Amino acid sequence: MSAKSFSIVTVATVLIFFLKIQLSVQAPLNGSKWSYIGPDGEKAWPKKYPFCGGVFQSPIDFHKDILQYDSNLLPLEFIGYNVPSTDQFTLTNNGHSVKMYLSPTMYIRNLPFEYTASQLHLHWGNRNKSEGSEHTVSGKHFAAELHIVHYNSEKYPDVTAAMDKADGLAVLAILLEIGPFNPSYEKIFRHFRNVKYKDQMVQVPGFNIRELLPDRLDEYYRYEGSLTTPPCYPSVLWTVFRHPVKISQEQLLALETAMYCTESDDPEPLEMVDNFRNVQEFHERLVFISFREGFVVSVVIACVLGVLIILAVAFWLLKRKSCKKGGKDNRGVIYKSGMCKEENDISKL
């Protein structure tokens, strides 16, 4: 090995080692204040939370140039998601979003590890611009986005221990759009009035959390990214479902107007709106997809067009042959079809 090659390898090794050490050191979770707007807004996050200005950040935009089909991607297996109503979830306003803590008996499989559920929360826009999703598809925002957070329970004892590890978290993302009333989401939304202000909590009867997911669980985007809030650790294996779930306009309005970022006695209450992070640079990563519908549709359309063209040509040849045959066998007949006459006229030209 030449001296130059040795130095490149050495530098690369040192950088990787430094990144691992840096990732293992947690940024302060409660010592620093952050928000989505103002002096502590998104542009200021990297000053207090260095990872927010680093690589492998989320959310991202899904566009065709970064998508790659992977036939090995399987539908997730959900265990314990149907929680009996006798159990209780705790719903809280944490000043940044509305968050519901989930049962430790819930977990998912068909990922590199088994991941246990920790909590779910939402991101949304405002009543004047209902474009509050964090992930986008070809630049398109959706009305809101639900995240269900899980931690790697094969390697770590809880979500706090896992959240700063490269293989620590797996998050399911569900895109929400306007449609009919959704009774499953109402099981959460009806409790918003009880968590209007920061740090308020309410108990929610258990229900089947799988009802919050889209019907097609086999079609999704998969990539390695980060938390979308400080400290922005690059520790998340993302599964973003391709098909959105619908909630009503009234339900979305309730989400956009029900809560405040401030406590109940704050003299200047601040509405909880636009609590989504902007799309991040992707830095030459790939997003793996479990579907190839675009390719299949293109092939089907091409096949259909090919068949139609073949049928049209065959019909034209058959008609032409019929006309020629008719002109030969019916010389004594005065009547000639318009098509044959037209072809004779054209041949004279």
Side-chain angles (χ1 to χ4, degrees):
M1 181 184 291
S2 68
K4 185 176 179 182
S5 299
F6 177 76
S7 18
I8 291 172
V9 170
T10 304
V11 170
T13 304
V14 170
L15 285 173
I16 293 169
F17 178 71
F18 175 74
L19 180 60
K20 286 184 177 179
I21 291 177
Q22 191 182 22
L23 187 55
S24 67
V25 179
Q26 288 195 18
L29 294 178
N30 300 313
S32 296
K33 186 174 147 187
W34 65 271
S35 64
Y36 286 96
I37 58 171
D40 298 310
E42 189 176 330
K43 290 183 180 178
W45 292 359
K47 295 175 185 176
K48 297 177 182 177
Y49 304 94
F51 285 107
C52 296
V55 296
F56 295 100
Q57 290 297 290
S58 298
I60 61 169
D61 176 58
F62 300 121
H63 55 277
K64 63 180 182 178
D65 294 338
I66 62 171
L67 304 182
Q68 181 171 304
Y69 173 68
D70 185 350
S71 61
N72 295 315
L73 292 178
L74 301 172
L76 295 177
E77 185 181 355
F78 297 87
I79 312 296
Y81 257 53
N82 192 2
V83 178
S85 59
T86 51
D87 291 353
Q88 301 281 312
F89 299 122
T90 298
L91 185 72
T92 183
N93 176 336
N94 67 1
H96 303 296
S97 180
V98 58
K99 178 164 69 171
M100 192 170 82
Y101 293 97
L102 299 174
S103 169
T105 60
M106 295 171 52
Y107 56 95
I108 52 178
R109 289 176 177 163
N110 282 349
L111 289 171
F113 301 95
E114 189 174 284
Y115 291 82
T116 296
S118 173
Q119 49 98 347
L120 63 77
H121 61 271
L122 291 130
H123 299 271
W124 60 90
N126 64 72
R127 73 188 84 191
N128 298 316
K129 192 174 183 182
S130 297
E131 296 181 354
S133 70
E134 295 206 302
H135 290 91
T136 59
V137 178
S138 299
K140 176 192 173 184
H141 272 277
F142 292 81
E145 185 168 332
L146 173 74
H147 292 163
I148 307 179
V149 181
H150 303 72
Y151 70 92
N152 182 346
S153 48
E154 285 190 30
K155 294 182 69 173
Y156 308 108
D158 53 46
V159 69
T160 303
M163 70 184 301
D164 65 334
K165 308 300 189 301
D167 57 359
L169 302 178
V171 178
L172 311 182
I174 298 94
L175 303 169
L176 304 180
E177 65 181 11
I178 303 298
F181 177 83
N182 191 316
S184 297
Y185 275 77
E186 193 64 17
K187 293 174 183 179
I188 299 174
F189 287 15
R190 69 165 68 109
H191 298 281
F192 286 164
R193 63 182 180 274
N194 297 315
V195 290
K196 189 172 184 177
Y197 298 101
K198 183 182 177 183
D199 296 331
Q200 290 184 332
M201 297 183 182
V202 66
Q203 297 301 304
V204 175
F207 64 95
N208 191 350
I209 299 298
R210 190 164 176 174
E211 295 175 7
L212 303 175
L213 305 177
D215 293 332
R216 292 293 303 270
L217 297 174
D218 59 326
E219 296 191 356
Y220 55 81
Y221 307 90
R222 170 73 51 74
Y223 78 101
E224 294 181 0
S226 74
L227 300 173
T228 63
T229 59
C232 308
Y233 294 132
S235 57
V236 180
L237 183 63
W238 282 95
T239 300
V240 182
F241 292 104
R242 182 188 188 195
H243 298 282
V245 170
K246 297 181 187 300
I247 61 174
S248 70
Q249 182 69 61
E250 291 74 21
Q251 288 177 303
L252 180 62
L253 186 62
L255 179 63
E256 294 167 343
T257 60
M259 286 162 286
Y260 291 85
C261 300
T262 46
E263 296 176 351
S264 58
D265 58 352
D266 196 298
E268 297 181 3
L270 179 65
E271 267 193 308
M272 189 182 288
V273 293
D274 298 324
N275 62 346
F276 61 92
R277 190 185 191 188
N278 289 314
V279 167
Q280 304 296 297
E281 294 291 333
F282 201 55
H283 297 295
E284 299 182 356
R285 285 174 283 167
L286 280 176
V287 173
F288 297 99
I289 56 175
S290 64
F291 55 91
R292 54 192 314 174
E293 186 173 308
F295 173 77
V296 173
V297 168
S298 300
V299 171
V300 169
I301 290 173
C303 290
V304 169
L305 287 175
V307 170
L308 289 175
I309 290 170
I310 291 171
L311 289 174
V313 170
F315 178 78
W316 180 78
L317 290 173
L318 189 62
K319 198 75 175 172
R320 184 184 177 103
K321 184 177 180 182
S322 173
C323 287
K324 285 183 177 179
K325 185 178 179 182
K328 199 174 214 183
D329 297 338
N330 301 298
R331 285 181 233 176
V333 180
I334 297 173
Y335 170 78
K336 290 184 181 180
S337 70
M339 181 177 288
C340 294
K341 183 177 186 302
E342 186 178 333
E343 285 185 358
N344 291 335
D345 292 340
I346 291 173
S347 64
K348 289 177 183 178
L349 295 175

